[in-house]
Amino acid sequence: QVQLVESGGGLVQPGGSLRLSCAASGTFFSINAMGWYRQAPGKERELVALITSAGTTNLADSVKGRFTISRDNVKNTVYLQMASLKPEDTAVYYCKAGIFLTLPGSEYYYWGQGTQVTVSS
């Protein structure tokens, strides 16, 4: 059973910083791309940042220059470093990972449970 467990959310003032972590656990062969998504109240879930197994990153225009995504392949963990936070960054943040349970085999997508980030004074 594969699980993604997120941590690091909370309340922060505008202009502040937070670091989110998402660790994969369980039995699997390898992890492909990992990413962070967010969903604000009344809005659809959107992609925030993506990182491939080789370390190539892609960030949404709205967070470029403020957020950084990274991963530790030994710890099976992806991070989202958020700086210069704005009230519009308030949302539930979810991590997602593409995981190969076996090789050869199919890639399966797993989601974390979500962590709340609130940016408010």
Side-chain angles (χ1 to χ4, degrees):
Q1 185 77 5
V2 176
Q3 281 189 317
L4 299 181
V5 179
E6 298 139 343
S7 60
L11 173 64
V12 63
Q13 292 187 341
S17 299
L18 278 177
R19 188 195 196 205
L20 305 182
S21 300
C22 172
S25 64
T27 302
F28 50 85
F29 182 80
S30 66
I31 303 176
N32 197 5
M34 304 181 82
W36 288 96
Y37 293 71
R38 66 186 181 188
Q39 187 166 20
K43 294 187 176 182
E44 293 190 353
R45 192 173 297 188
E46 63 175 358
L47 175 65
V48 176
L50 193 68
I51 184 167
T52 69
S53 57
T56 301
T57 62
N58 185 28
L59 288 96
D61 289 342
S62 60
V63 305
K64 282 181 180 176
R66 301 188 297 122
F67 290 12
T68 303
I69 186 170
S70 61
R71 65 191 284 172
D72 184 329
N73 290 331
V74 174
K75 296 181 178 179
N76 295 322
T77 300
V78 62
Y79 305 96
L80 186 67
Q81 180 67 50
M82 304 183 292
S84 302
L85 283 160
K86 305 175 182 180
E88 51 264 43
D89 294 317
T90 295
V92 178
Y93 284 70
Y94 299 89
C95 70
K96 179 183 179 183
I99 293 178
F100 290 96
L101 300 180
T102 60
L103 194 68
S106 299
E107 182 177 15
Y108 295 90
Y109 297 99
Y110 294 85
W111 290 89
Q113 81 284 0
T115 185
Q116 177 71 46
V117 172
T118 302
V119 184
S120 175
S121 54

